[in-house]
């Protein structure tokens, strides 16, 4: 009897415990939320010979995922205890341990149908599902696997961790929303971080799934127009040879390693780095493992270098800690034989409340926000207000979806709302540093929405390089004034070459080429900018210019004086032998030629350039034509007249001298008119001779002006021939010799000027050019006309008819003998 009573008592205790046994995965309620959490992780694929159910409890337990699972439970309980959000309505949940991509489908079917089976239906609004919305999943591959099943009935699926960008396509995932920022936002922060520290030579390691590949594509697109180069990239899975990855990293001399992977993949990589003694690296953690609790405290973690990361801001959820302590003290169905009350075979008895609270808090707030977003949507569907909800309204998932898209509420001082793609339209990310204490210390932040602030407190980061920011470059920065010349496939690998004069490098805009300076600018070798050239020309106030202009005025004055003297003594032998009326023409043309001198000074214009050459070429042609005729006449009188009397008579009869002079003048005038009409001289900026100066001058087109120059040179050549033929004339009769001497001076003057012009192109070449023109005029004025003026004024005995007649008769007799 005693034993019977003891047995009966034990049976009562067992039945009471069984009655009190509750499941963490299931809660009854007026409206049910589905939940998918990868509490266990299927780390390696299992190959079966026959179909078998998945046993999640046999897989590695993920503490952070279990914590997120508890956040959903807490959020539902908190909402059920609220008197304002859903006052007379209770929420329930059906949560599954989503540990495998492919073996959890029976659970999904159970969620989206009333009897665990998928059935075709004719009524679009008929609700076959017992859930109004789903919270999950954590990873992108799992979301991509199960999302289509929920999309067909427009059951809202609010993900708290799936970040791949393809899920933003509403044409494929119309009822998908998420409270976690998509991968493009995470990649934006990572690229900002890399740019901030001027790291340009990086490697990118990613999980070998849709999430990782999407991250890699986004990273490559982000750095396309930046100075960052992707030196090495590799996918990570359970078969990855980590030693080979680190060998490649060392071979490429990469100092920064970006790891875009979930925590279990990152843990294997970092543990391998510690084991293989990988040192002096900067590790940039993605938001999947930047707040990892295990790795920062692992022995040897300080040897691998400096670990930075991007993460969601850690937000304390009020009441969650108390909920965990209370929850862990309750009895749960944790034994396989008790799973008639649980929806999965599951055992987490090894986890204490302390373990759960100390787990990685990543993605906790997104879970909390996802549950509350659904609750707020349901609040609007049920028209809750004044302490009650309208429970007579039949709620369909698509109605909850419509309200979810319009969500706008505040949770823990954070405004929750979604954009047109169902992505969060709020929030920021933190930049964290794994400090010496083994904590992920927040050292910066980035706001995804205006004003788009990005801030990093460098002083909080303790670099493995003892204070200095580590560098990661394929090639060292070029010195100032050097440009980068590609040395390989990457733009970050280059040789440095100095920019030549006349070019400069703008390292900010384009460090890969030297930019040519404008014509009005100059630069020395190895310049980073151009300077304005100094514009030079000879002003009228220049000392040399004043002297030359005074000389030109003096020439005009002397020409007038000589003309007056010759006019007074017009009938004397000296004036008549000098050319008679031709003397006045020559002196007048010499005066007109001097006009050209005045246009060599001042800032050149088209008119001044034309007048710089035209008067001299035209009127000097007349002068030379006169001297050609005069030389020919001298030879004719003393040599030809005695032997060729008919030629002499013809010359005298038809006034051959004036005919030749007129022909030369008309021909030169036509040539100058044609050349100036086709290609007139115009202002020209000489920029080649001096790199830092612009010499203003006139550009003469030698092709179009060649006719005028050839005519002038031909007259000079003929004049020299005829005058040279008269070199043996009487000693006292020296007109031919005077012309020859003048021509030699003329030729010597322009040879000197041409030589100087080849060696020197400064502004004073214009002064020398004007001086050469003036010298060309003075050589005839001083060495042809001045001696005759002296005879008229000081040797009047030689200015008689008898004197000249005697010289001619004496020379004629000599020739005839």
């Amino acid at each position: 009897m005693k034993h019977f009573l003891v047995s009966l008592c034990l049976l009562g205790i067992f039945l009471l415990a069984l009655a009190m046994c509750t499941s963490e995965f299931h809660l009854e309620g007026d409206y049910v939320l589905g939940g998918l959490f990868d509490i266990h992780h299927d780390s390696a694929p299992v190959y079966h010979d026959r179909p078998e159910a998945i046993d999640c409890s046999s897989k590695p337990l993920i503490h952070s995922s279990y914590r997120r699972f508890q956040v959903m439970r807490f959020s539902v309980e908190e909402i059920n205890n609220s008197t304002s959000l859903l006052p007379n309505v209770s929420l329930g949940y059906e949560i599954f341990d989503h540990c495998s991509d492919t073996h959890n489908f029976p659970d999904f079917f159970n969620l989206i149908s009333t009897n665990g089976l998928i059935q075709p239906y004719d009524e679009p609004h008929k609700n076959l599902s017992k859930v109004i919305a789903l919270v999950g999943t954590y990873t992108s591959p799992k979301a991509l696997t199960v999302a289509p099943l929920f999309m067909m009935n427009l059951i809202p699926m609010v993900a708290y961790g799936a970040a791949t960008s393809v899920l933003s396509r509403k044409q494929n995932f119309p009822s998908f929303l998420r409270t976690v920022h998509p991968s493009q936002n995470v990649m934006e922060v990572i690229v900002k971080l890399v740019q901030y520290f001027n790291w340009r030579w990086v490697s990118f390691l990613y999980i070998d799934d849709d999430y990782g590949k999407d991250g890699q594509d986004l990273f490559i697109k982000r750095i396309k127009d930046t100075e960052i180069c992707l030196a090495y990239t590799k996918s990570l899975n359970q078969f990855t040879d980590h030693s080979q990855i680190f060998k490649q990293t060392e071979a490429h001399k990469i100092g920064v390693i970006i790891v875009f992977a979930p925590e279990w993949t990152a843990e294997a990589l970092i543990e391998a780095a510690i084991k293989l003694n990988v040192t002096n690296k900067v590790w940039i953690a993605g938001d999947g493992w930047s707040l990892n609790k295990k790795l920062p405290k692992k022995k040897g973690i300080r040897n691998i270098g400096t670990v930075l990361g991007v993460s969601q801001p850690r937000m304390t959820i009020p009441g969650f800690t108390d909920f965990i302590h209370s929850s862990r003290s309750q009895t749960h169905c944790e034994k396989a034989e008790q799973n008639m009350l649980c929806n999965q075979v599951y055992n987490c008895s090894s986890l204490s409340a302390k373990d759960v609270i100390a787990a990685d808090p990543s993605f906790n707030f997104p879970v909390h926000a996802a549950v509350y977003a659904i609750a707020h949507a349901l609040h609007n569907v049920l028209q809750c207000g004044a302490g009650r909800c309208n429970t007579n309204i039949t709620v369909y998932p698509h109605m909850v979806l419509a309200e979810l898209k319009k969500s706008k509420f505040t949770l823990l001082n954070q405004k929750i709302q979604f954009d047109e793609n169902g992505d969060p339209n709020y929030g920021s990310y933190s930049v964290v540093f794994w400090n010496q204490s083994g904590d992920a210390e927040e050292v910066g932040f980035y706001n995804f929405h205006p004003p788009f602030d990005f801030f990093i407190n460098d002083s909080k980061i303790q670099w493995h390089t003892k204070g200095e920011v580590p560098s990661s470059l394929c090639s060292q920065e070029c010195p100032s004034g050097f440009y980068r010349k590609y040395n390989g496939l990457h733009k970050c690998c280059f040789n440095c070459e100095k920019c030549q004069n006349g070019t400069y490098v703008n390292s900010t805009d384009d460090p890969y080429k030297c930019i040519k300076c404008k014509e009005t600018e100059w630069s020395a070798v190895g310049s980073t900018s151009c300077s304005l050239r100094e514009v030079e020309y000879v002003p009228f106030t220049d000392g040399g210019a004043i002297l030359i202009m005074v000389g030109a005025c003096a020439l005009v004055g002397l020409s007038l004086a000589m003309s007056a003297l010759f006019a007074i003594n017009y009938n004397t032998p000296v004036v008549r032998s000098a050319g008679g009326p031709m003397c006045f023409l020559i002196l007048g043309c010499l005066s007109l030629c001097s006009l050209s001198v005045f246009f060599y000074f001042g800032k050149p214009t088209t008119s001044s350039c034309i007048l710089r050459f035209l008067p001299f070429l035209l009127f000097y042609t007349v002068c030379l034509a006169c001297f050609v005729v005069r030389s020919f006449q001298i030879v004719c009188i003393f040599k030809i007249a005695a032997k060729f009397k008919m030629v002499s008579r013809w010359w005298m009869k038809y006034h051959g001298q004036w005919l030749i002079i007129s022909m030369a003048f008309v021909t030169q005038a036509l040539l100058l008119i044609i050349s100036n009409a086709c290609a007139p001289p115009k202002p020209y900026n000489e920029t080649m001779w001096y790199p830092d100066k612009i010499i203003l001058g006139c550009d003469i087109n030698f092709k179009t002006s060649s006719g005028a120059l050839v005519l002038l040179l031909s007259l000079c050549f003929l004049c020299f021939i005829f005058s040279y033929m008269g070199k043996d004339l009487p000693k006292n009769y020296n007109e031919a010799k005077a012309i020859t001497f003048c021509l030699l001076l003329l030729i010597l003057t322009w040879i000197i000027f041409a030589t100087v012009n080849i060696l020197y192109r400064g502004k004073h070449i214009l002064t020398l050019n004007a001086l050469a023109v003036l010298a060309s005029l003075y050589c005839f004025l001083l060495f042809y006309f001045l001696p005759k003026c002296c005879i008229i004024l000081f040797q009047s005995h030689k200015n008689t008819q008898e004197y000249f007649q005697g010289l001619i008769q004496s020379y004629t007799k000599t020739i005839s003998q």
Side-chain angles (χ1 to χ4, degrees):
M1 186 67 179
K2 184 180 178 179
H3 292 289
F4 173 76
L5 291 174
V6 171
S7 299
L8 186 61
C9 186
L10 291 173
L11 178 61
I13 294 172
F14 174 77
L15 291 173
L16 180 63
L18 187 62
M20 293 177 61
C21 178
T22 60
S23 171
E24 289 187 316
F25 291 91
H26 175 75
L27 179 67
E28 293 291 340
D30 297 326
Y31 299 96
V32 178
L33 305 184
L36 297 177
F37 293 85
D38 48 353
I39 299 171
H40 293 86
H41 174 59
D42 188 5
S43 59
V46 179
Y47 300 99
H48 304 290
D49 295 329
R50 54 193 292 272
E52 295 181 16
I54 187 77
D55 181 6
C56 286
S57 62
S58 65
K59 309 300 180 183
L61 176 65
I62 308 298
H63 291 198
S64 57
S65 291
Y66 184 71
R67 177 182 167 120
R68 290 188 281 269
F69 159 74
Q70 294 294 345
V71 170
M72 178 173 176
R73 296 183 63 241
F74 165 76
S75 302
V76 171
E77 182 174 305
E78 189 176 56
I79 292 168
N80 286 338
N81 292 331
S82 171
T83 58
S84 59
L85 188 53
L86 294 172
N88 60 325
V89 173
S90 64
L91 287 181
Y93 53 74
E94 195 74 32
I95 304 175
F96 292 92
D97 184 2
H98 192 185
C99 66
S100 172
D101 288 346
T102 57
H103 291 81
N104 282 125
F105 275 92
D107 304 330
F108 308 146
F109 295 155
N110 190 39
L111 279 176
I112 62 177
S113 65
T114 56
N115 54 9
L117 298 174
I118 301 296
Q119 297 178 352
Y121 56 91
D122 297 324
E123 301 177 32
H125 296 292
K126 185 179 179 181
N127 186 17
L128 296 179
S129 175
K130 60 186 177 182
V131 299
I132 59 167
L134 177 74
V135 177
T137 63
Y138 173 59
T139 65
S140 296
K142 292 173 182 177
L144 290 169
T145 301
V146 305
L149 297 175
F150 296 91
M151 298 300 109
M152 64 179 183
N153 281 342
L154 292 181
I155 300 174
M157 182 175 179
V158 186
Y160 56 87
T164 185
S165 56
V166 72
L167 291 168
S168 295
R169 298 177 185 171
K170 292 300 100 180
Q171 62 269 35
N172 300 112
F173 304 97
S175 63
F176 182 89
L177 300 93
R178 52 185 159 195
T179 52
V180 64
H181 284 277
S183 295
Q184 54 260 40
N185 288 354
V186 179
M187 214 51 61
E188 183 177 348
V189 185
I190 290 175
V191 172
K192 284 278 186 184
L193 180 62
V194 173
Q195 288 178 317
Y196 181 85
F197 291 110
N198 200 30
W199 294 320
R200 298 178 183 172
W201 193 236
V202 302
S203 64
F204 190 88
L205 308 180
Y206 59 96
I207 180 69
D208 188 14
D209 60 17
D210 299 286
Y211 168 73
K213 292 172 184 176
D214 180 57
Q216 183 202 33
D217 293 340
L218 291 170
F219 182 75
I220 292 172
K221 289 178 183 177
R222 279 278 177 186
I223 66 173
K224 184 178 180 182
D225 296 322
T226 69
E227 294 187 345
I228 302 170
C229 293
L230 182 56
Y232 177 72
T233 183
K234 180 70 176 175
S235 62
L236 303 172
N237 54 45
Q238 62 268 30
F239 305 113
T240 299
D241 184 354
H242 295 117
S243 63
Q244 187 61 33
I245 289 177
F246 296 130
K247 285 179 182 178
Q248 290 291 330
T249 303
E250 287 300 320
H252 290 84
K253 299 179 180 179
I254 303 168
V256 175
I257 302 174
I258 301 168
V259 183
F260 192 70
E263 56 186 313
W264 49 84
T265 305
E267 284 177 0
L269 178 72
I270 298 301
E271 287 171 359
I274 296 172
K275 183 178 179 181
L276 296 169
N277 196 29
V278 176
T279 59
N280 301 325
K281 302 295 180 187
V282 175
W283 302 80
I284 299 180
D287 56 346
W289 64 284
S290 58
L291 299 182
N292 188 285
K293 296 293 184 178
K294 174 184 175 183
L295 289 176
K297 294 179 172 61
K298 195 169 185 65
K299 184 179 179 181
I301 191 68
R302 301 286 162 259
N303 297 331
I304 68 171
T306 305
V307 181
L308 300 175
V310 298
S311 72
Q312 299 171 25
R314 282 168 289 193
M315 299 181 68
T316 301
I317 302 176
F320 178 68
T321 301
D322 295 336
F323 170 81
I324 293 298
H325 284 291
S326 174
S327 175
R328 301 314 294 163
S329 65
Q330 295 177 6
T331 303
H332 298 286
C333 300
E334 295 169 348
K335 297 182 180 180
E337 60 268 19
Q338 293 177 334
N339 68 355
M340 70 287 294
L341 299 179
C342 304
N343 58 23
Q344 284 174 286
V345 176
Y346 170 69
N347 188 344
C348 61
S349 59
S350 60
L351 285 182
S352 64
K354 184 179 179 181
D355 293 331
V356 177
I357 294 168
D360 182 352
S362 299
F363 304 97
N364 284 194
F365 182 75
V367 173
H368 193 52
V371 176
Y372 265 87
I374 296 169
H376 275 275
L378 185 59
H379 173 94
N380 294 333
V381 172
L382 294 174
Q383 301 173 358
C384 298
R388 290 192 62 81
C389 295
N390 187 357
T391 56
N392 294 323
I393 297 175
T394 303
V395 178
Y396 295 106
H398 68 87
M399 298 166 65
V400 178
L401 173 63
E403 293 299 330
L404 264 172
K405 291 179 179 179
K406 297 185 287 184
S407 292
K408 195 169 186 180
F409 63 94
T410 301
L411 181 64
L412 300 182
N413 297 321
Q414 179 70 66
K415 292 183 179 179
I416 309 297
Q417 57 186 15
F418 301 96
D419 63 16
E420 64 276 6
N421 297 319
D423 295 329
N425 195 15
Y426 60 88
S428 63
Y429 257 48
S430 298
V431 178
V432 298
F433 160 66
W434 287 9
N435 60 26
Q436 300 295 325
S437 303
D439 297 322
E441 180 182 0
E442 185 172 327
V443 295
F445 63 87
Y446 179 73
N447 288 327
F448 290 116
H449 301 284
F452 301 104
D453 294 331
F454 180 69
F455 170 77
I456 291 181
N457 187 350
D458 306 56
S459 62
K460 288 186 177 182
I461 303 175
Q462 300 169 357
W463 301 104
H464 62 270
T465 48
K466 306 302 180 185
E468 293 184 1
V469 178
S471 65
S472 185
L473 303 169
C474 179
S475 300
Q476 292 300 317
E477 286 294 329
C478 290
S480 178
F482 285 73
Y483 75 98
R484 302 173 185 176
K485 186 176 182 181
Y486 286 118
N487 180 23
L489 298 176
H490 292 281
K491 61 184 177 183
C492 295
C493 302
F494 49 81
N495 296 323
C496 296
E497 296 193 7
K498 189 177 289 188
C499 286
Q500 299 303 309
N501 55 4
T503 63
Y504 71 99
V505 60
N506 188 333
S507 300
T508 303
D509 291 344
D510 188 355
Y512 295 93
K513 69 176 181 180
C514 294
I515 304 169
K516 192 174 182 180
C517 294
K518 298 177 182 177
E519 285 193 359
T520 57
E521 298 175 335
W522 75 282
S523 67
V525 175
S527 295
T528 56
S529 63
C530 293
S531 302
L532 285 174
R533 293 188 184 217
E534 183 181 355
V535 179
E536 290 192 349
Y537 59 91
V538 182
F540 287 101
T541 55
D542 182 75
I546 293 173
L547 288 175
I548 291 174
M549 288 188 289
V550 169
C553 293
L555 184 138
V556 174
L558 286 173
S559 297
L560 289 174
M562 289 180 182
S563 297
L565 183 64
F566 280 15
I568 294 171
N569 298 277
Y570 183 76
N571 293 318
T572 60
V574 170
V575 175
R576 298 182 70 83
S577 66
M582 200 177 294
C583 293
F584 300 105
L585 179 61
I586 295 173
L587 288 171
C589 287
L590 288 176
S591 298
L592 292 173
C593 285
S594 66
L595 292 174
S596 295
V597 171
F598 294 91
F599 296 100
Y600 278 93
F601 310 115
K603 194 172 183 179
T605 62
T606 302
S607 300
S608 66
C609 286
I610 292 174
L611 294 174
R612 185 178 291 185
F613 300 107
L614 190 145
F616 178 74
L617 292 174
L618 180 61
F619 296 112
Y620 208 71
T621 298
V622 177
C623 292
L624 286 178
C626 291
F627 283 111
V628 168
V629 170
R630 190 70 196 125
S631 301
F632 177 75
Q633 284 178 328
I634 293 170
V635 173
C636 179
I637 291 171
F638 289 101
K639 293 189 176 183
I640 299 177
K643 298 180 180 179
F644 303 99
K645 294 182 180 180
M646 292 297 294
V647 175
S648 179
R649 289 195 193 101
W650 182 91
W651 183 267
M652 296 298 293
K653 180 180 179 180
Y654 294 102
H655 303 284
Q657 68 273 24
W658 298 111
L659 185 63
I660 291 175
I661 291 170
S662 299
M663 288 178 60
F665 174 76
V666 172
T667 302
Q668 187 67 298
L670 289 173
L671 290 173
L672 288 172
I673 290 171
I674 293 171
S675 65
N676 284 309
C678 296
K682 55 187 177 181
Y684 169 71
N685 296 338
E686 170 59 59
T687 57
M688 300 298 293
W689 195 260
Y690 294 100
D692 59 338
K693 297 178 182 179
I694 298 176
I695 309 299
L696 300 185
C698 292
D699 180 30
I700 184 170
N701 190 318
F702 286 100
K703 287 185 178 180
T704 57
S705 303
S706 58
L709 295 174
V710 168
L711 177 59
L712 197 66
L713 292 173
S714 300
L715 290 174
C716 184
F717 181 69
L718 286 173
C719 185
F720 184 80
I721 290 175
F722 289 136
S723 62
Y724 186 77
M725 288 173 64
K727 69 181 187 307
D728 56 347
L729 293 177
K731 182 177 180 181
N732 293 326
Y733 192 82
N734 56 4
E735 284 191 41
K737 292 178 181 178
I739 294 173
T740 303
F741 183 71
C742 290
L743 290 172
L744 287 174
L745 285 178
L746 177 66
I747 293 169
L748 181 62
T749 297
W750 287 101
I751 288 175
I752 292 172
F753 172 74
T755 304
V756 174
N757 192 46
I758 293 171
L759 300 175
Y760 171 72
R761 294 288 181 86
K763 69 174 183 177
H764 294 294
I765 197 67
L766 301 174
T767 305
L768 294 176
N769 196 345
L771 184 63
V773 170
L774 198 61
S776 302
L777 305 179
Y778 267 106
C779 66
F780 284 114
L781 191 69
L782 297 179
F783 299 103
Y784 184 79
F785 288 107
L786 187 60
K788 293 170 175 52
C789 292
C790 291
I791 291 173
I792 293 172
L793 294 174
F794 306 111
Q795 295 178 331
S796 57
H797 65 279
K798 293 183 179 180
N799 191 17
T800 61
Q801 188 70 29
E802 293 80 9
Y803 182 80
F804 274 83
Q805 193 66 36
L807 290 175
I808 294 172
Q809 290 177 357
S810 175
Y811 187 73
T812 304
K813 289 179 181 179
T814 303
I815 294 175
S816 60
Q817 291 175 358

